[in-house]
Amino acid sequence: MIRSSAAVVALAVAGCAGAPVAGRPPLAEPLAPLSRADRPVVAVVLGSGAARGFAHVGALKALDDAGIPIDLVVGTSAGSLVGALYAGGIRGDALVDMALAVQRNQLVDLVAFPKRGFIDGDKLESFVNQALGNRAIEQLELPFVAVATELRTGTLTAFTRGNTGMAVRASCSVPAVFHPTEIEGHEYVDGSLVSPVPVRVARSLGADIVIAVDVSMQPTDRRALGNAAALVTQAFVVMAGTIAKEETRVADVVVQPELAGIGVTDFAARERAIAAGEQAVRTALPDIERLIAAKTAANSAAQP
């Protein structure tokens, strides 16, 4: 059952407020590929989708409820926000409670005189760092990667160490909505521009089984396209969808929650999105369990 507990979340955040902030900027340092002798390395990849990313919360809860082991979390944009919290140990009902309790004004700080974006990003960064006790990425309970785009070159950047909140902020910095996030003289924007569902990043880090959760909007011929804003939105949806399809082709399991009618700014539909993510993973569980069992058996047979 989905339930809200704002008081619990507020106490948890307040308890972390006095800890020193992980001020070191996030770094895109190479990680040694993960490996296990007893079973395959399982990665969960959480895609972009703004408010549709609430579905990631339900998806992760269903994986935990089923006892699916997760060794690596990779996220882009909204997926990096949920993924960071999960990798930091906020899971199950606690993660659901936090998702239902968080208010837009805890994550969004509007700029008085916008030039390059309407949202600064400080609040998002602070929310993540406080929720995680100001731990750096390498101090989280699970290996975690936040994917962003270097603005000048368009290069995919996979943050693997340093300030968790700043890495999430960079990954979520939608161009013209957020100010670009400046880190060590470089500017970063939303990771979905180059990798909306970063499956290949997980593969490069040794994942044997990749469970990709795709919450992106799909192109539709039913959307009214009579103005410039609608045309731009449709163009971004088509672009992101095309890149996402290429990425998810190399995933082992692709979970696509039923999110029809839920827009990218629809915080009011968060409970429905969470339930949709949970249901989608439950439907996929037989395939996930079969894959883990088969690869575990293959690993055992290969042992001397």
Side-chain angles (χ1 to χ4, degrees):
M1 177 182 296
I2 295 176
R3 66 187 194 277
S4 177
S5 180
V8 172
V9 174
L11 286 172
V13 171
C16 297
V21 174
R24 180 162 54 85
L27 303 172
E29 292 185 345
L31 284 180
L34 304 175
S35 64
R36 297 187 64 101
D38 55 332
R39 60 170 177 78
V41 173
V42 179
V44 63
V45 172
L46 307 176
S48 62
R52 293 162 65 93
F54 281 109
H56 291 318
V57 173
L60 291 167
K61 182 177 184 301
L63 289 170
D64 278 354
D65 287 348
I68 301 300
I70 295 175
D71 303 295
L72 170 67
V73 182
V74 182
T76 288
S77 199
S80 75
L81 171 57
V82 177
L85 299 173
Y86 180 86
I90 304 173
R91 298 178 191 158
D93 287 330
L95 185 58
V96 172
D97 287 347
M98 178 173 281
L100 292 173
V102 68
Q103 299 300 308
R104 193 188 302 268
N105 63 9
Q106 291 177 267
L107 306 176
V108 173
D109 42 3
L110 296 177
V111 178
F113 301 102
K115 289 184 178 180
R116 304 178 70 199
F118 295 94
I119 300 172
D120 183 65
D122 281 343
K123 280 193 173 183
L124 175 61
E125 180 179 332
S126 295
F127 177 85
V128 172
N129 280 335
Q130 289 184 358
L132 295 176
N134 300 296
R135 286 174 290 162
I137 294 173
E138 64 270 26
Q139 295 172 324
L140 302 180
E141 294 182 12
L142 289 175
F144 168 68
V145 182
V147 174
T149 305
E150 206 279 333
L151 180 58
R152 298 288 178 183
T153 63
T155 304
L156 183 154
T157 302
F159 290 115
T160 58
R161 299 179 64 81
N163 188 312
T164 309
M166 191 180 293
V168 170
R169 174 181 178 173
S171 183
C172 292
S173 292
V174 179
V177 177
F178 279 76
H179 272 285
T181 300
E182 185 173 341
I183 300 170
E184 298 286 283
H186 296 269
E187 291 185 317
Y188 295 92
V189 292
D190 197 299
S192 67
L193 271 67
V194 291
S195 188
V197 190
V199 175
R200 288 186 174 87
V201 172
R203 288 287 188 211
S204 72
L205 293 174
D208 299 306
I209 295 175
V210 176
I211 303 165
V213 185
D214 180 6
V215 299
S216 60
M217 295 185 70
Q218 303 301 311
T220 173
D221 58 8
R222 295 187 297 276
R223 183 178 294 117
L225 300 175
N227 58 63
L231 286 171
V232 170
T233 299
Q234 180 75 348
F236 273 105
V237 168
V238 170
M239 177 190 70
T242 300
I243 300 172
K245 283 180 183 176
E246 290 301 311
E247 290 265 30
T248 55
R249 281 177 185 167
V250 293
D252 294 287
V253 177
V254 180
V255 176
Q256 290 183 302
E258 177 51 60
L259 300 173
I262 299 179
V264 294
T265 61
D266 196 354
F267 265 54
R270 68 181 83 184
E271 189 164 349
R272 182 156 68 90
I274 293 169
E278 193 168 352
Q279 181 56 51
V281 164
R282 285 178 179 160
T283 301
L285 275 175
D287 290 338
I288 295 170
E289 292 170 339
R290 190 160 44 245
L291 272 169
I292 293 174
K295 294 205 172 188
T296 299
N299 286 358
S300 297
Q303 295 298 318

